[in-house]
């Protein structure tokens, strides 16, 4: 905290907050009497205020303890901010203190659910309050979303890595056929050959392992936004060992067929026959994709996926790519034969090469899956970003929100208008989430400029909420008031004029009289309204003679007073003339319960207390007030959610900020209200404060800043608010709110899936480059044979380049189709949050733009890597 003055150093001293000092009407050097409500406690303790404090780091851990909660008015009970004094004050002077120890929950407690800790503390005699079950459930859900998302990214990376290793192993195995033939010719046994096979793959993998671990640590650091903890290293090492073993097994399995191949076959350079079991593998892929799709379609909308649904995009993309690969291979054979018959030799050679080369369909599938997963991961990331932006607009309301403290809403409204006289950068807002329905009151005249028509409120909301004005009464700035009235009662009456200071919201009451029966004038001094902006008259009230304590008694039944004029003594201008007093639109009685009979007629205002009930039943005491109407009644309101049940039998009304019921006129219906959510009311703050008989002091006060406000301008507005008596206790921007939402497990999982997709694209590029490098020497012999047979050099050159480019282009187009199919088949919105947020429609996961960008990026990377691989040699 920041203390203006001195900290308490001895018993009998205390510090209070500035807000509490205003409520308690004290200052530095003043005194307070503190007492406890416990039965049989020590006598009150009188303390001297040594300082006034302001909260620092309001959103920090220390102030989060409920013992230090700020004062508020709730359920009719008013509390003030905590008072701080030395511990010695509790020794024989106040009640025995309750020691409270608050600490952040360590990870170990979060993992065991606090059961053991709660039992140990309660056994030792302590009261224990742990995190609520909803918080623990949210933490558990966040971790589950992280695990599932990372699992999905891990599986897609594993699938792509397995495909890439299988392709690389198959092509490099073809390059090693002469070596195996030589080993067999020299009499090497299968066991020795297999051992050599294992070592020739294991050695480079062991060399690459440290670099892979370092790269994995860097990727994890990038995805998580923090360094990996020490406890993550053992499982990471185990995972690296598993990856090493799996990769070694894949490469060795690719070489095993060569151990059983005869020498004559090994020396043959023609492509081998097609693989057996490929059709069964594709069938299993389709079955797995169908099962994953079924789980996706049967889960709750926008829920965090589980089971096979976690890897549904990868399985669907892989199944679609495998089927497309078979289709493209078959079509390439038909196209090659058709081009050959048409005499188009280059195209025929390119197509037939694609059709006859073993493993080329798997390169197509790998490229297609990499493009599809990259596009889907990019679409998920964009959808999550849009979902966080939509939620921020609902939960925050503006680009920057300042949480403030002020004496009342009038002070806030005037302070904001003084700090931003142009009305383009700041808007006063008051929230009452305890009302039924909850209320969001804002300065509607600035809504369009501050929010720009964005967010949950429609652009026309400001115009709909704008209150109609009856015509403002002149401000009261004099030193006294004089009333001219006729008392039609048998006894004397007093007229109480109620005013509020237009600048500070302070309540001012002036009692005129007593007025004897008949025509009379009465005057009284006026304090608290001198100078601009003066005071605003809010109502008139009748009072009877004073009682024994000197307080005015309620007026007797059937009492009546006709007010003919009310004027200021200095500067001598009228406050209520004949036009204002006789206007029926200007006056109203209480809206609930019995009230005065308010009768404006022929330039005068008659206030009459209703007579007792004729049947002798007890009538409750009527409200003796006549309220001024200088705004629009009923108050225009925008409603979200279903109307309250009591509106079915009565006119719409609400009791905002602890006031009596105020009539409402619903001008629009919206699905969501900023901050409040799906249920609530939006009112104009100026209309509310004009309708209430006294400025509201309850509710949460905020100042919303426009999106284009620079930091320097925001600081100037905050300084202006402070100069007007408004304390800024918190600040949050939309970017900060989005960043906090982006710390949920779903957002981290999305970034990890994108990282895995990028790695998959690089793996596809490496696999394609390895295939090009191996095929280059094989194709060189074929080219020489074709040149001997008279095929032009240009034809074979075009065929080679065209076949390679065709593979990359067809694989990229296949990725677009596979990604679009997977997104269309899943047709489920992205689970952007771990809670049950449903107030905004989840954005679609399938993004054509993301797929297109992924295809362009993939085509560029594949083309560059393939060109570098081909540049090492040219066909002659």
């Amino acid at each position: 905290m920041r203390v203006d003055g001195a900290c308490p150093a001895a018993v009998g001293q205390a510090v209070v907050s500035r807000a509490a000092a205003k409520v308690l009407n004290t200052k530095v050097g003043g005194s307070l009497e503190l007492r406890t409500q416990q039965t049989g406690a020590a006598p009150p303790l009188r303390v001297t205020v040594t300082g006034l404090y302001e909260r620092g780091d309001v959103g920090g851990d220390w102030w989060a303890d409920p013992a230090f909660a700020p004062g508020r008015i709730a359920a009719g009970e008013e509390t003030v901010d905590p008072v701080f004094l030395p511990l010695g004050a509790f020794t024989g002077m106040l009640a025995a203190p309750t020691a409270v120890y608050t600490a952040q929950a360590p990870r170990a407690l979060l993992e065991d659910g606090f059961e053991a800790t709660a039992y140990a503390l309660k056994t030792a005699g302590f009261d224990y309050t742990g995190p609520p079950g909803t918080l623990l459930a949210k933490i558990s859900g966040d971790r589950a979303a992280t695990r599932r998302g990372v699992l999905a990214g891990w599986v897609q990376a594993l699938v792509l890595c397995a495909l890439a290793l299988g392709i690389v192993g198959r092509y490099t195995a073809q390059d090693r056929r002469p070596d195996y033939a030589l080993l067999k010719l020299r009499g090497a046994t299968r066991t020795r050959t297999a051992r050599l096979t294992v070592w020739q793959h294991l050695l480079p993998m062991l060399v690459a392992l440290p670099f892979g671990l370092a790269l994995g640590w860097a990727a994890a650091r990038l995805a998580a936004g923090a360094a990996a903890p020490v406890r993550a290293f053992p499982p990471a090492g185990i995972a690296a060992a598993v990856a090493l073993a799996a990769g070694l097994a894949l490469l060795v399995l690719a070489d095993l067929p060569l151990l059983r191949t005869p020498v004559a076959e090994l020396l043959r350079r023609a492509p081998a026959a097609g693989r057996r079991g490929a059709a069964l593998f594709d069938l299993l892929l389709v079955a797995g994709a169908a099962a994953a799709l079924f789980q996706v379609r049967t889960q709750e909308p926008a829920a965090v996926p589980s089971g096979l649904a976690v890897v549904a995009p990868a399985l669907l993309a892989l199944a679609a790519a495998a089927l497309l690969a078979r289709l493209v291979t078959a079509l390439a054979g038909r196209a090659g034969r058709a081009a050959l018959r048409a005499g188009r030799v280059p195209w025929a050679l390119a197509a037939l090469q694609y059709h006859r080369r073993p493993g080329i369909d798997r390169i197509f599938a790998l490229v297609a899956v990499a493009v599809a997963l990259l596009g889907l991961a990019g679409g998920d990331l964009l959808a999550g970003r849009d979902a966080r932006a939509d939620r921020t607009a609902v939960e925050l309301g503006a680009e920057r929100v300042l949480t403030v403290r002020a004496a009342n809403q009038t002070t806030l409204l005037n302070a904001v208008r003084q700090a931003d006289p142009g009305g383009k950068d700041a808007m006063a807002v008051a929230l009452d989430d305890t009302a039924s329905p909850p209320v969001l009151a804002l300065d509607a005249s600035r809504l369009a400029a501050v929010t720009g028509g964005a967010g949950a409120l429609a652009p026309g909301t400001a115009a709909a909420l704008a209150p109609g004005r009856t015509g403002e009464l002149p401000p009261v700035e004099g030193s006294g008031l004089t009333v001219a009235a006729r008392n039609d009662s048998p006894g004397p009456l007093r007229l109480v004029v109620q005013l509020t200071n237009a600048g500070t919201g302070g309540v001012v009451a002036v009692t005129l009289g007593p007025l004897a029966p008949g025509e009379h004038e009465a005057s009284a001094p006026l304090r608290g309204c001198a100078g601009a902006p003066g005071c605003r008259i809010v109502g008139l009230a009748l009072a009877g003679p004073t009682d024994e304590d000197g307080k005015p008694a309620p007026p007797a039944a059937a009492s009546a007073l006709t007010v003919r004029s009310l004027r200021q003594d200095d500067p001598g201008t009228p406050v209520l003339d004949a036009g204002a007093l006789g206007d029926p639109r200007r006056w109203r009685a209480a809206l609930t319960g019995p009230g005065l009979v308010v009768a404006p007629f022929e330039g005068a205002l008659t206030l009459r207390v209703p007579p007792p009930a004729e049947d002798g039943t007890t009538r409750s005491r009527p409200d003796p007030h006549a309220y001024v109407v200088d705004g629009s009644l009923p108050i225009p309101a925008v409603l979200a959610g279903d109307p309250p049940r009591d509106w079915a039998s009565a006119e719409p009304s609400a009791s905002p900020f602890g006031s009596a019921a105020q009539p409402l006129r619903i001008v629009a219906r919206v699905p969501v209200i900023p901050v409040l959510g799906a249920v609530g009311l939006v009112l104009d703050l100026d209309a509310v404060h004009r309708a209430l008989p006294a400025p509201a002091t309850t509710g949460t006060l905020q100042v919303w800043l426009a999106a284009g406000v620079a930091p320097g301008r925001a600081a100037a507005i905050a300084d202006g608010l402070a100069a007007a008596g408004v304390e800024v206790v918190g600040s949050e921007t939309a970017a900060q709110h989005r960043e906090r939402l982006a710390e949920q497990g779903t957002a981290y999982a999305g970034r990890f899936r994108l990282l895995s997709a990028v790695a998959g694209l690089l793996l596809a590029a490496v696999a394609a480059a390895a295939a090009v490098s191996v095929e280059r020497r094989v194709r060189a012999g074929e080219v020489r044979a074709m040149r001997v047979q008279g095929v032009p050099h240009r034809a074979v050159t075009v065929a080679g380049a065209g076949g390679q480019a065709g593979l990359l282009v067809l694989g990229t187009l296949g990725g677009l189709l596979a990604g679009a199919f997977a997104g269309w088949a899943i047709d489920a919105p992205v689970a952007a949050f771990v809670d049950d947020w449903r107030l905004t429609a989840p954005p679609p996961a399938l993004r054509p733009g993301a797929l297109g960008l992924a295809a362009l990026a993939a085509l560029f990377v594949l083309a560059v890597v393939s060109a570098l691989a081909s540049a090492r040699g040219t066909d002659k």
Side-chain angles (χ1 to χ4, degrees):
M1 61 175 65
R2 299 181 299 273
V3 179
D4 183 9
C7 291
V11 176
Q13 297 179 351
V15 292
V16 300
S17 69
R18 291 189 181 276
K22 293 179 181 178
V23 174
L24 301 174
N25 194 24
T26 188
K27 58 183 179 179
V28 175
S31 62
L32 291 175
E33 190 175 83
L34 306 179
R35 68 182 67 212
T36 179
Q37 296 179 350
Q38 296 180 1
T39 304
L45 172 66
R46 180 166 292 277
V47 297
T48 300
V49 177
T50 61
L52 304 180
Y53 74 83
E54 295 179 355
R55 295 167 180 257
D57 188 23
V58 179
D61 300 331
W62 198 87
W63 289 106
D65 193 295
F68 308 130
R72 61 176 303 177
I73 299 177
E77 182 179 354
E78 182 176 5
T79 62
V80 297
D81 293 344
V83 177
F84 294 92
L85 57 156
L87 188 62
F90 291 89
T91 305
M93 298 184 181
L94 294 176
T98 299
V100 179
Y101 181 80
T102 305
Q104 284 190 342
R107 180 184 179 90
L109 290 184
L110 292 177
E111 291 176 346
D112 69 14
F114 296 89
E115 288 84 359
T117 303
Y119 178 79
L121 288 174
K122 290 182 178 179
T123 302
F126 292 97
D127 291 331
Y128 168 77
T129 303
T134 53
L135 177 60
L136 293 178
K138 189 173 182 179
I139 294 173
S140 177
D142 186 74
R143 291 182 171 180
T146 304
R147 287 193 298 269
R148 293 168 185 167
V150 170
L151 176 62
W154 178 76
V155 168
Q156 80 179 27
L158 185 65
V159 169
L160 293 171
C161 188
L163 282 174
L165 276 176
I167 292 171
V168 170
R170 183 177 182 83
Y171 273 92
T172 55
Q174 296 300 321
D175 200 32
R176 290 190 298 273
R177 292 167 68 92
D179 298 333
Y180 281 102
L182 184 60
L183 286 173
K184 288 190 175 186
L185 288 174
R186 292 181 177 178
T189 63
R190 284 192 177 184
T191 303
R192 184 180 180 187
T193 305
R195 188 165 57 249
L196 290 173
T197 300
V198 171
W199 278 106
Q200 72 176 350
H201 294 306
L202 182 59
L203 184 59
M205 294 184 74
L206 289 176
V207 173
L209 183 61
F211 299 96
L213 288 173
L215 182 61
W217 181 89
R221 176 71 173 81
L222 176 64
V230 175
R231 63 177 178 273
F233 290 148
I238 295 173
V242 171
L244 180 69
L248 180 62
L250 279 172
L251 293 175
V252 171
L253 286 175
D255 279 4
L256 281 182
L258 300 180
L259 299 180
R260 301 190 300 267
T261 305
V263 175
E265 185 68 24
L266 288 174
L267 295 175
R268 182 171 175 264
R269 304 300 297 176
R275 302 176 311 277
R276 293 176 295 179
L280 178 61
F281 178 76
D282 293 346
L283 184 60
L284 292 176
L285 273 180
V286 173
L293 181 60
F294 175 77
Q295 288 195 7
V296 169
R297 290 299 185 93
T298 55
Q299 70 180 8
E300 290 293 328
V304 178
S306 59
L308 283 178
V310 174
V311 293
L315 286 177
L316 284 169
L318 186 57
L323 296 179
L324 283 173
R326 285 183 169 272
L327 178 62
V328 171
T329 301
L331 292 178
R334 292 178 177 270
R337 287 189 291 271
L340 193 59
R341 287 194 298 269
R344 299 182 179 274
V345 177
W347 298 108
L349 291 176
L352 292 175
Q353 174 186 324
Y354 185 95
H355 175 72
R356 295 184 67 245
R357 290 293 181 192
I360 202 168
D361 55 339
R362 293 312 174 201
I363 297 179
F364 172 93
L366 177 60
V367 172
V369 171
V371 172
L373 293 182
L374 184 61
L376 290 175
D380 288 352
L381 208 65
L382 293 177
R385 183 198 63 183
D386 293 345
R388 291 190 293 272
D390 294 342
R391 180 167 181 172
T392 297
V394 172
E395 290 186 336
L396 200 60
E399 185 65 24
R400 181 188 292 269
V401 173
L402 306 178
T403 302
V404 300
R405 299 182 67 178
N408 49 61
Q409 294 176 9
T410 302
T411 301
L412 173 65
L413 195 62
N414 292 328
V416 173
R417 291 178 175 178
Q418 292 174 11
D420 177 30
K424 303 294 185 183
D425 298 332
M427 176 176 65
V429 177
L431 298 166
D432 184 4
D433 54 4
T434 63
S436 181
V439 173
L440 169 68
L442 44 79
D443 191 350
S445 63
R446 297 171 173 236
L447 177 61
V450 172
T451 64
L457 295 178
T461 303
L465 289 175
R469 295 291 174 80
T470 306
E472 296 185 13
L473 295 173
V476 180
E477 303 175 351
S479 58
L481 294 177
T482 299
V483 64
R486 185 183 74 244
N487 184 0
D488 296 325
S489 308
L493 288 175
R494 287 175 169 81
L495 180 68
V496 181
V497 182
Q498 294 181 324
L499 309 100
T500 60
N501 189 289
T504 65
V507 178
V508 179
V510 179
T511 302
L512 300 169
L515 297 168
E519 295 276 356
H520 297 283
E521 286 192 355
S523 300
L526 174 63
R527 299 180 179 88
C529 297
C535 290
R536 179 176 63 88
I537 183 170
V538 296
L540 304 175
L542 292 182
T546 56
D547 55 17
E548 296 179 355
D549 297 331
K551 297 180 180 180
S559 298
L561 182 71
T562 300
V563 180
R564 300 192 181 279
S565 69
L566 180 67
R567 65 179 184 275
Q568 305 180 62
D569 294 344
D570 181 18
T573 57
V575 177
L576 297 174
D577 55 12
L581 291 169
D583 187 355
R585 301 169 299 173
R586 175 69 66 183
W587 303 95
R588 67 172 178 88
L591 298 175
T592 58
L596 289 180
V597 177
V598 180
F601 184 70
E602 293 185 351
L605 176 66
T606 299
L607 308 178
R608 182 179 294 107
V609 181
E614 296 180 0
D615 57 2
T617 58
T618 302
R619 182 196 293 270
S620 60
R621 181 173 294 173
D623 187 333
H625 294 84
Y627 297 103
V628 173
V629 178
D630 62 353
S632 176
L633 279 181
I635 301 174
V638 174
L639 174 67
D642 296 329
R645 294 182 178 179
D646 55 356
W647 287 10
S649 58
E651 294 296 326
S653 63
S655 302
F657 309 105
S659 68
Q662 303 296 323
L664 302 178
R665 175 170 54 91
I666 305 302
V667 296
R669 299 284 295 270
V670 295
V672 177
I673 289 177
V675 185
L676 298 181
V679 178
L681 290 168
V682 182
L683 307 176
D684 177 50
L685 183 58
D686 187 63
V688 171
H689 108 274
R690 289 181 177 276
L692 300 184
T697 58
T698 62
T700 302
L701 305 182
Q702 296 179 341
V703 177
W704 291 5
L705 302 184
V709 176
R713 175 59 177 156
I717 292 176
D719 292 340
L721 294 174
V726 176
E727 178 189 4
V728 178
V729 297
S731 175
E732 184 176 14
T733 65
Q736 292 171 340
H737 194 275
R738 290 192 295 269
E739 287 177 3
R740 191 167 67 251
L741 292 176
E743 293 176 355
Q744 295 189 9
T746 48
Y748 280 117
R751 292 197 286 273
F752 184 78
R753 286 196 299 271
L754 181 63
L755 189 63
S756 299
V758 172
L761 176 61
L762 297 178
L763 286 170
V766 170
V772 169
S773 298
V774 173
E775 283 285 329
R776 180 174 50 82
R777 285 184 296 177
V778 177
R779 189 155 41 90
E782 296 176 350
V783 168
R784 286 192 295 269
M786 286 187 290
R787 291 295 306 278
V788 170
Q789 298 176 28
V791 179
H793 179 267
R794 179 178 177 277
V796 294
T797 303
V798 171
Q804 183 176 332
L807 173 62
L808 300 182
V809 171
L810 289 174
T812 303
L813 293 177
L816 286 175
L817 292 176
F821 167 75
W824 169 81
I826 293 173
D827 191 27
V830 174
F833 311 106
V834 297
D835 55 9
D836 56 350
W837 176 262
R838 296 291 187 273
L839 295 184
T840 56
L846 182 58
R847 299 295 181 97
L851 281 174
L853 289 176
L856 292 176
L859 199 58
F860 174 77
V861 172
L862 292 169
V864 170
V865 174
S866 296
L868 292 176
S870 300
R872 298 177 59 188
T874 57
D875 298 333
K876 296 291 181 71

